[in-house]
Amino acid sequence: MKAYHSHILRNLLNLKDLFSIGSQNLFTLNRPAFLKESVSVAIKKNRKAHRKTLIWLDDRINPLEKKMDWLAFSPIGRDVNIIWLKEINEFQTWIHTNGLPDAICFDYDLSNSFNGFDCAEVLIDYCYNHQLLPPQWSSHSTNPEGKARINRLLKNYLILAKRMNFKSFTD
């Protein structure tokens, strides 16, 4: 049993360089207040870095507007990094540059000649070409027919992609 403990201690000492804050080493640090503060800051940075990404696709509604709780439409909650895109070219560029977000909130009626349904088709093309399941989605559109078209398209693709054993982008 003692040999086992000494083996663990030896491995921990070999890893001590991984547990440092600036020039301070956590194994030799004797200031608990400093340690608590540093760990708290590290946790906050880590939490922010790993927040999920939500694409908000709408040409006029600001998802962070204080008058209305637009993030109630988010399928992944409110504690997210929001990417507000207003038209199909921005959407297509973002997807092809960054890959899939964790979720998308679609509006159907966009100001240009394209709409949210067209953006859903861009998403499906990207997912199909990369053999991926689509990210979570919702629609905050006030256009009931448009909202239903987007949902029907994405649900049908999801069924097809699962049959073809496509993987989630998070796998």
Side-chain angles (χ1 to χ4, degrees):
M1 190 69 157
K2 285 186 178 182
Y4 176 71
H5 289 289
S6 65
H7 174 72
I8 290 173
L9 184 59
R10 212 174 317 116
N11 285 337
L12 284 174
L13 291 174
N14 289 337
L15 293 173
K16 69 181 179 184
D17 293 335
L18 295 175
F19 297 94
S20 60
I21 300 171
S23 62
Q24 302 281 342
N25 188 301
L26 292 178
F27 284 93
T28 59
L29 196 59
N30 292 325
R31 290 181 277 177
F34 174 75
L35 179 61
K36 284 180 186 176
E37 181 182 322
S38 298
V39 170
S40 173
V41 168
I43 288 171
K44 285 178 185 173
K45 283 182 182 177
N46 191 32
R47 210 178 275 152
K48 187 172 184 180
H50 294 314
R51 283 174 40 186
K52 292 184 176 187
T53 301
L54 171 71
I55 287 183
W56 182 265
L57 183 62
D58 197 307
D59 61 326
R60 37 179 202 89
I61 296 174
N62 179 352
L64 298 175
E65 181 183 314
K66 299 292 183 203
K67 296 176 192 171
M68 183 75 176
D69 183 15
W70 292 109
L71 290 180
F73 290 98
S74 170
I76 56 173
R78 290 175 173 83
D79 187 26
V80 294
N81 291 323
I82 299 168
I83 310 297
W84 183 17
L85 304 176
K86 299 178 182 181
E87 53 121 50
I88 192 168
N89 292 334
E90 290 177 349
F91 181 77
Q92 189 169 21
T93 300
W94 196 95
I95 295 286
H96 286 283
T97 303
N98 300 295
L100 295 177
D102 294 293
I104 302 172
C105 283
F106 289 93
D107 182 25
Y108 183 79
D109 300 308
L110 302 176
S111 62
N112 57 16
S113 59
F114 295 99
N115 56 42
F117 184 82
D118 298 320
C119 292
E121 288 180 321
V122 166
L123 175 67
I124 286 174
D125 286 343
Y126 180 87
C127 289
Y128 185 79
N129 290 336
H130 292 86
Q131 297 185 349
L132 295 170
L133 297 173
Q136 294 180 50
W137 77 87
S138 69
S139 178
H140 58 277
S141 181
T142 57
N143 180 332
E145 293 86 17
K147 184 178 193 172
R149 283 186 72 204
I150 291 169
N151 285 328
R152 192 169 36 254
L153 177 69
L154 291 170
K155 285 178 184 175
N156 287 338
Y157 173 75
L158 182 60
I159 291 167
L160 172 72
K162 284 183 176 179
R163 282 187 190 150
M164 296 178 76
N165 292 322
F166 286 179
K167 302 291 181 207
S168 170
F169 67 97
T170 57
D171 290 345

